[in-house]
Amino acid sequence: MRYLTFALTKGRLAQKTLELLEELGITCQEMKDKNSRKLIFVNEELKLKFFLAKGPDVPTYVEYGAADIGVVGKDTIMEEGRKVHEVLDLRFGNCRMCVCGPKSAKELLKHRELIRVATKYPNIAKDYFYNKKHQTVEIIKLNGSIELAPLVGLSEVIVDIVETGSTLRENHLEVLEEVCPLSARMIVNPVSMRLENERIRELLTRLRVVLKEA
Ligand code: PRP
């Protein structure tokens, strides 16, 4: 039997994924050793391999077939636009993609003014403003601390992830429009989906049972 390889998003999503897999009796003892610098973890018995990657790289590994299966946020799947099958909503990592800014920016949105939008997600922002809202905007790509942009006058609004909303509150910003809800998703390489159909389908069936019980 060949190995089924999982690419997991480093951090909280990987942690949550491993907890979920444990409920199915799929464990990876090696991975729990926090001090280990190892990059790939193997479960010999079940012929599974796991590795950790940065979120935006997970769909890349899966598209090229270096991983059969990936776990990554819906935001990253949308932003990267890779050729992968999204097969399951894992229902953790729940948050929302939103247009945010100071209250005063509401009017600018309403009147479809040519505003500047700062974001880590230029493709999502473009799709939202151009295709859904038919509003021309200037998109400015940033790499983090997006909330800073309207505070220092780089942009009028931002497109960013809102989880608890506390970052917005503490900076006197608010949600102006919701783009879409987000959560962790399982993605599969299209060729793996055919070649390993039985194993992958069985895994999905078992995951669906556990997710329903939760
Ligand atoms: C994310 C996001 C917001 C914040 C939202 O940033 O970009 O800044 O979390 O969470 P909240 O609604 O619970 O406050 P993250 O901490 O991942 O880092 P980043 O700013 O570097 O992107």
Side-chain angles (χ1 to χ4, degrees):
M1 194 165 35
R2 80 185 259 282
Y3 284 99
L4 262 192
T5 303
F6 289 73
L8 307 180
T9 299
K10 226 182 239 178
R12 214 150 38 116
L13 287 194
Q15 232 31 64
K16 286 269 186 190
T17 308
L18 293 176
E19 282 169 27
L20 183 62
L21 290 173
E22 273 205 44
E23 287 187 55
L24 305 184
I26 299 172
T27 52
C28 198
Q29 214 49 46
E30 282 187 310
M31 216 157 174
K32 290 184 182 160
D33 178 3
K34 291 270 187 293
N35 297 319
S36 173
R37 302 288 293 168
K38 242 178 128 164
L39 295 172
I40 302 176
F41 306 91
V42 184
N43 180 324
E44 282 299 344
E45 212 188 313
L46 299 170
K47 287 282 178 228
L48 300 174
K49 276 187 194 168
F50 299 89
F51 64 82
L52 299 175
K54 286 264 187 190
D57 295 339
V58 168
T60 311
Y61 283 107
V62 174
E63 179 181 277
Y64 284 91
D68 301 288
I69 296 174
V71 173
V72 65
K74 177 68 179 173
D75 50 315
T76 307
I77 298 172
M78 293 196 298
E79 183 60 25
E80 296 299 314
R82 294 279 176 183
K83 292 188 206 83
V84 297
H85 290 323
E86 185 186 318
V87 293
L88 191 63
D89 183 345
L90 295 169
R91 292 171 30 192
F92 51 76
N94 293 310
C95 49
R96 303 182 291 157
M97 186 65 72
C98 297
V99 180
C100 311
K103 197 186 252 143
S104 58
K106 246 188 190 152
E107 284 299 302
L108 302 175
L109 286 170
K110 207 168 111 194
H111 298 116
R112 296 176 192 282
E113 305 239 10
L114 178 59
I115 51 171
R116 284 176 301 186
V117 180
T119 186
K120 204 154 103 177
Y121 303 90
N123 293 326
I124 294 176
K126 253 179 239 164
D127 180 61
Y128 179 72
F129 279 103
Y130 293 0
N131 302 333
K132 284 214 191 84
K133 304 226 34 190
H134 306 291
Q135 178 174 358
T136 307
V137 296
E138 184 178 343
I139 305 219
I140 302 171
K141 156 91 199 233
L142 289 179
N143 294 296
S145 304
I146 314 300
E147 291 84 356
L148 194 56
L151 300 181
V152 298
L154 177 64
S155 72
E156 282 73 37
V157 299
I158 61 173
V159 167
D160 200 19
I161 292 173
V162 178
E163 192 181 355
T164 61
S166 58
T167 310
L168 290 179
R169 267 193 303 278
E170 284 182 33
N171 292 292
H172 310 290
L173 301 170
E174 52 187 71
V175 171
L176 304 171
E177 290 174 4
E178 181 173 323
V179 177
C180 62
L182 303 168
S183 57
R185 308 291 161 96
M186 186 165 273
I187 56 175
V188 178
N189 171 275
V191 176
S192 306
M193 196 70 212
R194 276 186 275 126
L195 294 182
E196 294 293 336
N197 190 269
E198 220 169 296
R199 280 171 92 189
I200 294 175
R201 269 215 326 245
E202 196 219 83
L203 173 71
L204 289 176
T205 307
R206 292 172 64 201
L207 281 170
R208 283 197 191 96
V209 171
V210 176
L211 288 170
K212 248 188 216 131
E213 285 166 356

